[in-house]
Amino acid sequence: MPAVAYLNKHGVPLAQPSPMFSSRFPVLCLHRDHLQRALYGACLDPASGPPVEFLPGVSVERYEADPNKGVRVYLSNNTCLESDVLVAADGIHSTIRRQFVEHVTSKHCGYVYFRATLNVEEHSVGLAPFSSAFESWGDGQRFGYVPLQAPDVFWFASIPAAEQTGPDGMATSIIDEATKQHLLRLFEGWSGQAQDGAQIVNLQRLILSSPASSILRTPIRKVPDVEKFPWQGNRGRVILLGDSAHAVAPNLAQGAGLAIEDALVLATNLSRVVRGEASLEAAARYYELARKPRAKTVQSMADLVATVGHIRGPLALARNYFMLASHKLAPTVQSLIFERAVSMSLGGDSNNLYWSPPVPKGTVDAEALTRALERSCLLGRVLGATFSELPSHVRKFRAASEGEGVGIVSVE
Ligand SMILES: Cc1cc2nc3c(=O)[nH]c(=O)nc-3n(C[C@H](O)[C@H](O)[C@H](O)COP(=O)(O)OP(=O)(O)OC[C@H]3O[C@@H](n4cnc5c(N)ncnc54)[C@H](O)[C@@H]3O)c2cc1C
C-alpha cells in the first residue's frame, strides 16, 4: 500500500505519514476473492497437510460439548460430526457464539458503507492505480481509495444512515441507479490526491465509472465489548475465531487480518496440545488472552476513526482546521503521531512496528533462521551475531526471497 493519508474533501492533506511509510509498514492490499482462492487452493493442496473436507450448502445448527470427551456438531443435512475441538469461524452472526454466550449480539454502528472495485485502466479516472491511498473527510461523509493488484482499485463511501436491509432481506445489497445518483450528488466536487501531490482525482468519476450493479451497500455492525465475554467454553472444546469473536467496524481494514492472526495464534497453541506440552483448556485460554487486547485496540481505533471522520457542521470545520494547522506547523510531529497510531492498529509494540506471527516451536528454528540470515546479506556478514538486534522490519526485509526496496538503515 502506498503511504496512506487523510485528506479534506478538496484533496488537501490533513494528516500524512513520512514518505518512508510504505517501507516501514509493508501492508498488502488484496481483493477478498484472491485471498479466498489462495486459501481454498492451499486447503486442496496435498503438500499443505492433511486434506480438508468442504461441505457446501450445509450449515451448523448446534453443538453438544463434553469437556472430557469432545464435541458433537449437528448439521443441517441431519448428520453429526464428532471432534476434539470445534473452532467456530462463522462470522458476526455466529450460531455457535449465540449458543454459549447468548447475551452477546452484534450492534449497528450508525453508518453504511458503499463500496466497489474498479479497473482504472478500463475506466480512466485520472489516477494511476498505485499512486495513492487515502481517506477523505467531508461534512459527515468519508470516502476511501485503496489500490489492489493493478489495475484494480477499491473505493468506499461511508455515510451515517439507519440500518436497512436490501430487497432480499440480506444485510448487504447491490444498489440501484437512484442510489448511485444520490451518491454522485453527495460527493460532487470531492477530490483525492496522489502521494506526490501531483495527480488529482475527481472522486465522482470513481462512482460514475462503477456500474450500480457493482456497488455494494452494507450497514456496518460490530460485536461490542469484545474483551468482556468468553471466546472459548467447555474447557477449550469450543473456540470462537474471527468475526464470531470480535467483528470490528471496517474503518481500519483489519477485520480479515485479525481473523488470520487469530488462526496463527490458535494453531500455534493447539500444536502445543498435540505435542503434550499444554492442556486443551490452557491452550484455548492462552489464545483468548493473547488475542483480546489486540482485537480491543483495533475496535476502539476503528470506532474513533468513524467518530472523527463523520463529524458534521461547524465541528467538522474545526476538525479540519486543527488537523491542517498541525500538518502545516509541525509536519514531523504529526507524521510521528500518525505512524505511532498505525503501528498500534497493526499490533506493534515497543519492540516491533507491527504484529508478527508466533514462530511455532519445532517447525522453524528461529536461531537457525537468524544464522542463515547473518550469512545471506552484507549487513549480516558485517554485523555477525548482532544482526539479530536490528529492528525486525530490517531483518524481515533481508529475509524476503525476492523483491526490491529503498531505505536507509543507520547502524551504530
Ligand atoms: C463493508 C466491509 C468492508 C470490510 N473491509 C475489510 C478490509 O478492507 N480489510 C479487512 O481485513 N477486513 C474487512 N472487513 C472485515 C472482514 O470482512 C471480516 O472481518 C472477515 O470477513 C471475517 O472473517 P470470518 O472468517 O471471521 O467471517 P466471515 O467472512 O463472515 O465468514 C463466516 C463464514 O461462516 C459461514 N457461516 C455462518 N454461519 C454458519 C453456520 N451456521 N454454519 C456454517 N457456516 C456458517 C458464512 O456463510 C461465512 O462463509 C470488511 C467488512 C465489511 C462489512
Side-chain angles (χ1 to χ4, degrees):
M1 185 167 71
V4 65
Y6 286 98
L7 313 175
N8 71 11
K9 69 179 194 175
H10 306 296
V12 178
L14 299 173
Q16 239 174 348
S18 76
M20 301 299 292
F21 177 87
S22 307
S23 52
R24 284 161 61 76
F25 298 97
V27 174
L28 179 67
C29 298
L30 70 168
H31 194 288
R32 190 181 298 257
D33 185 47
H34 292 171
L35 173 65
Q36 289 180 336
R37 279 170 199 274
L39 294 173
Y40 186 65
C43 288
L44 298 181
D45 181 356
S48 306
V52 176
E53 189 183 357
F54 289 88
L55 302 175
V58 178
S59 58
V60 171
E61 296 193 328
R62 65 186 179 89
Y63 71 87
E64 281 169 8
D66 181 329
N68 299 317
K69 290 189 189 146
V71 193
R72 291 167 71 83
V73 182
Y74 295 91
L75 305 179
S76 57
N77 62 359
N78 293 324
T79 58
C80 171
L81 299 172
E82 294 191 356
S83 75
D84 294 322
V85 185
L86 167 62
V87 178
D90 53 348
I92 186 167
H93 303 296
S94 170
T95 304
I96 303 300
R97 185 188 67 229
R98 268 181 283 142
Q99 200 181 323
F100 87 89
V101 274
E102 281 166 42
H103 63 285
V104 178
T105 48
S106 68
K107 177 181 154 203
H108 181 51
C109 298
Y111 47 96
V112 168
Y113 260 53
F114 295 87
R115 59 198 157 120
T117 55
L118 186 70
N119 178 326
V120 287
E121 269 171 15
E122 276 175 20
H123 304 272
S124 171
V125 291
L127 196 66
F130 205 71
S131 58
S132 188
F134 57 81
E135 180 169 321
S136 304
W137 288 346
D139 189 16
Q141 308 89 7
R142 300 158 48 220
F143 191 100
Y145 173 96
V146 180
L148 301 171
Q149 189 174 14
D152 289 337
V153 303
F154 168 73
W155 65 259
F156 71 84
S158 175
I159 297 166
E163 190 170 22
Q164 207 182 52
T165 47
D168 53 1
M170 297 291 283
T172 294
S173 54
I174 291 171
I175 68 165
D176 56 19
E177 203 48 52
T179 311
K180 180 172 162 179
Q181 293 305 321
H182 173 64
L183 282 180
L184 284 168
R185 281 193 298 278
L186 273 181
F187 292 96
E188 191 173 354
W190 283 50
S191 312
Q193 198 178 67
Q195 201 177 336
D196 58 5
Q199 285 165 297
I200 302 278
V201 63
N202 175 343
L203 299 186
Q204 254 190 332
R205 272 167 69 187
L206 285 167
I207 304 173
L208 196 63
S209 309
S210 308
S213 59
S214 72
I215 304 177
L216 297 177
R217 177 191 191 281
T218 309
I220 300 304
R221 302 186 71 86
K222 66 174 183 180
V223 172
D225 301 325
V226 290
E227 78 289 15
K228 291 193 179 146
F229 61 90
W231 291 6
Q232 47 88 27
N234 303 91
R235 290 175 46 197
R237 294 286 175 188
V238 182
I239 299 172
L240 302 179
L241 182 150
D243 273 16
S244 69
H246 52 64
V248 297
N251 310 319
L252 296 177
Q254 290 235 19
L258 283 179
I260 293 169
E261 293 174 16
D262 287 352
L264 284 161
V265 174
L266 180 59
T268 306
N269 280 290
L270 290 182
S271 66
R272 291 172 59 216
V273 181
V274 174
R275 287 197 305 272
E277 294 168 7
S279 69
L280 180 56
E281 189 175 6
R285 184 90 189 106
Y286 186 77
Y287 154 79
E288 186 182 16
L289 284 175
R291 297 301 299 156
K292 275 186 167 170
R294 171 94 180 92
K296 179 64 191 164
T297 303
V298 173
Q299 180 159 76
S300 306
M301 295 182 79
D303 289 346
L304 182 68
V305 167
T307 306
V308 178
H310 285 142
I311 291 176
R312 296 167 192 252
L315 277 178
L317 287 175
R319 172 201 65 200
N320 289 9
Y321 178 78
F322 174 75
M323 290 181 71
L324 199 59
S326 61
H327 181 64
K328 294 263 184 248
L329 298 175
T332 315
V333 176
Q334 196 201 48
S335 64
L336 277 175
I337 296 171
F338 191 113
E339 290 192 16
R340 181 76 196 106
V342 171
S343 175
M344 260 175 80
S345 83
L346 291 172
D349 54 29
S350 50
N351 295 319
N352 297 300
L353 274 176
Y354 45 84
W355 188 87
S356 48
V359 180
K361 208 174 143 193
T363 50
V364 177
D365 178 344
E367 277 178 23
L369 187 65
T370 305
R371 278 198 301 278
L373 284 172
E374 278 167 21
R375 289 191 300 272
S376 70
C377 65
L378 179 63
L379 269 185
R381 291 200 299 277
V382 173
L383 295 175
T386 48
F387 177 79
S388 61
E389 289 170 26
L390 288 175
S392 69
H393 69 280
V394 179
R395 277 183 283 129
K396 278 188 192 142
F397 175 69
R398 299 306 321 174
S401 57
E402 55 184 23
E404 57 182 283
V406 178
I408 298 169
V409 180
S410 303
V411 182
E412 293 182 358

